[in-house]
Amino acid sequence: LKEAGIDFKRHETEGIDVLYFGEESDFFELLKLYFPYIYDIKYMINGTPNLHGGLQKVAEDLGCQRIGPMHQGGSDSLITCDAFFKLCEMLGTSPVAVEDDHKFVNELYGLGGNSTVYRPPPREEATDGDYD
């Protein structure tokens, strides 16, 4: 992360106080507000043979090519997107089928007991009040 320009000393002196950083429940509420449907690559590969590790390793194993440096938003976003589509292909399905199946939607690996606290209903069953 230092190579990506993260100044740990500055974060230590000027960063957010750990007491004010937030609770897991606050995180899930904000996540639900801004991203009502999420897909976590780490959760999707859980239990998949021969796929393990961090984003870079999984992406390499799926045949994805990184554009730009690691730990930079644009580069990480592009490789995550590519990994998602290639993972869907490897699983023998399409991104639309993954969405319709709801097996992976709104699950987070390692947080909230490996899943988010909030699980919205499938889109066709959702009402306007579900996202207030």
Side-chain angles (χ1 to χ4, degrees):
L1 291 174
K2 286 182 181 180
E3 291 176 16
I6 304 298
D7 183 348
F8 289 103
K9 191 67 173 166
R10 180 172 173 229
H11 283 287
E12 185 179 332
T13 59
E14 300 175 26
I16 299 171
D17 189 323
V18 76
L19 295 174
Y20 299 105
F21 193 70
E23 298 292 324
E24 193 172 286
S25 61
D26 295 336
F27 168 76
F28 285 118
E29 285 301 312
L30 289 172
L31 185 66
K32 173 182 78 172
L33 176 66
Y34 293 108
F35 304 99
Y37 293 93
I38 58 170
Y39 296 89
D40 183 353
I41 300 292
K42 187 82 168 181
Y43 183 83
M44 290 177 73
I45 66 166
N46 191 23
T48 303
N50 304 320
L51 281 180
H52 61 279
L55 175 61
Q56 185 62 40
K57 181 174 182 330
V58 170
E60 287 172 1
D61 291 346
L62 290 169
C64 303
Q65 182 178 358
R66 179 179 285 279
I67 300 170
M70 286 176 36
H71 307 302
Q72 296 294 315
S75 179
D76 284 355
S77 295
L78 283 171
I79 203 163
T80 300
C81 180
D82 195 18
F84 174 78
F85 284 100
K86 290 201 173 158
L87 182 57
C88 289
E89 185 179 305
M90 188 197 90
L91 294 171
T93 189
S94 71
V96 173
V98 167
E99 182 179 350
D100 290 342
D101 182 22
H102 299 286
K103 180 178 179 181
F104 301 116
V105 70
N106 296 330
E107 299 288 349
L108 286 178
Y109 183 85
L111 289 177
N114 272 3
S115 62
T116 58
V117 173
Y118 173 76
R119 293 190 58 122
R123 286 188 181 181
E124 60 274 2
E125 296 173 20
T127 64
D128 291 337
D130 289 330
Y131 304 105
D132 293 339

